[in-house]
Structures are given as C-alpha cells and as structure tokens.
Amino acid sequence: MAIRKIAVIGNPVLRQQARKLTREELLSPEIQRLIDDLIETMHDANGAGLAAIQIHEPVHLCAIEVKDNPRYPYLPKVPLTLLVNAELTPLTEETFVNYEGCLSVPDLRGAVERVAEIRVIAWDRFGEPIDQIVRGLTAGTFQHEVDHLDGTLFVDRVKDPRSLCTWREYERHQQRAFVERARAVVARWGS
Ligand code: NI
C-alpha cells in the first residue's frame, strides 16, 4: 500500500472522463492495489471521499468514508464504501445547499446545490452489485465523488461565485449558518 499524490485543480487529469472497468480488470492485482492506495490516501488526507482520478488514475473508482472527520465535523457517519462504475439517479427534485470543499481544490469552499435523494448502482471492489438509496448530506458526498469521474469539480457547480471562500474565512463567516442548515438537512432526510 502507498499514499499517492493528489492532483489539484489545473491538472488536466481532473478533467478527464474516467474509464469504466470490466470485472476482470477490477479483480486484477493492479486494480486491487490501486483500491488499497485510494483508501489509504483518503485516510491520510482526512477526505470524506476520494476518486481514483484524483490520484492520477482515470478509472471509474471512488471511495467514501466518514467517521469523525475534522474537515467536515457535521457530516453523518458513512461506513467505508468503494464504488466501481457507479451510476447515480435522482429520486427527487428536492435539493439542498452544500458548502463543499475538495482535496483537489486546496483551501477553497463554496456553496453547491445537490439532489437530496439518489439511487446508486455500482459494484463493490469484488464486483458484487451495490444498489442503494442515499439521502441528504451523504447523497451530496456521493454526487461530489461521482462528479470527479466525469471530470467535474465542485467549483463548476457553484452557482454564486461569491460563496467561494478559504477554509479560514468559511470558519469565520459561513460555518455557523451552514451547520444550522446542514442539521436541518439531516433532520429532513435522516443523513
Ligand atoms: Ni473532491
């Protein structure tokens, strides 16, 4: 296992479309090692998620896990989830505003609109089917990660660029109001 370098905004790899994997490729030692590295790199960087494209491997893999996350302390817990070839379908027209950040966009956060309930169809790391419904802030995390695999960064989805701020200014001027809104999302959607 190894901690990989994370690509940052401006690196063309982040704008690529990730390639879907066949089951044979997925089960190969190379891809299994990449999955271990993806998870280790996510843990090392305190990410709530990480897509393979962010460690310079444009294949359709992403990891999500939320424990006690110092970057996003208001996020509900999510067990370690590894998604292969994930497809998301919106299940509602209801959206919420998420104040997002990204390991590939250093020291910036911004307000993004996310669908509040989605269906996730994917494989796990062994090619077993995943079919689950994800709601609320957790649905926002899933959308952020799968966006990466389409070459999309959260800054592309920021509606009002005036919401962009450094992490320090977020803490000083945005955090209190946003955490209130995040609690309301969790109350409404259960996560
Ligand atoms: Ni990201």
Side-chain angles (χ1 to χ4, degrees):
M1 301 222 289
I3 293 165
R4 304 278 198 104
K5 212 171 166 191
I6 297 175
V8 296
I9 186 167
N11 191 313
V13 73
L14 293 171
R15 297 311 192 172
Q16 288 185 30
Q17 173 69 53
R19 183 173 66 77
K20 297 241 169 138
L21 292 167
T22 65
R23 201 177 250 102
E24 276 137 317
E25 284 179 299
L26 173 62
L27 297 176
S28 70
E30 293 75 24
I31 295 292
Q32 290 294 316
R33 202 173 308 128
L34 169 62
I35 291 170
D36 289 337
D37 289 354
L38 182 69
I39 294 168
E40 194 177 1
T41 305
M42 174 178 73
H43 287 161
D44 178 68
N46 286 322
L50 192 64
I53 209 162
Q54 292 178 272
I55 56 169
H56 304 262
E57 302 276 2
V59 292
H60 216 287
L61 289 173
C62 64
I64 293 162
E65 185 178 36
V66 182
K67 291 191 205 160
D68 290 316
N69 190 304
R71 281 165 59 84
Y72 307 101
Y74 52 84
L75 280 184
K77 304 224 183 332
V78 183
L80 178 61
T81 305
L82 192 286
L83 301 174
V84 184
N85 300 344
E87 307 244 355
L88 306 184
T89 315
L91 296 180
T92 177
E93 288 182 1
E94 209 175 309
T95 61
F96 65 94
V97 172
N98 207 19
Y99 230 106
E100 298 192 7
C102 179
L103 294 170
S104 292
V105 185
D107 201 21
L108 203 65
R109 290 182 74 137
V112 179
E113 212 173 306
R114 294 296 186 186
V115 178
E117 186 178 35
I118 53 168
R119 182 178 179 190
V120 185
I121 294 181
W123 290 336
D124 71 9
R125 68 179 293 170
F126 305 111
E128 297 300 322
I130 292 174
D131 183 350
Q132 70 182 106
I133 291 169
V134 187
R135 301 181 176 91
L137 299 180
T138 306
T141 305
F142 276 62
Q143 287 163 76
H144 177 114
E145 294 314 321
V146 175
D147 264 356
H148 274 299
L149 301 167
D150 290 325
T152 298
L153 297 172
F154 84 84
V155 288
D156 308 340
R157 294 198 185 273
V158 167
K159 268 206 180 144
D160 181 356
R162 288 173 298 183
S163 72
L164 290 168
C165 58
T166 65
W167 281 66
R168 180 160 184 263
E169 299 309 322
Y170 164 80
E171 278 164 22
R172 290 172 71 187
H173 302 293
Q174 309 292 337
Q175 180 170 258
R176 190 184 301 193
F178 174 64
V179 169
E180 281 297 303
R181 295 174 78 172
R183 284 205 189 101
V185 173
V186 173
R188 164 85 175 88
W189 293 98
S191 56

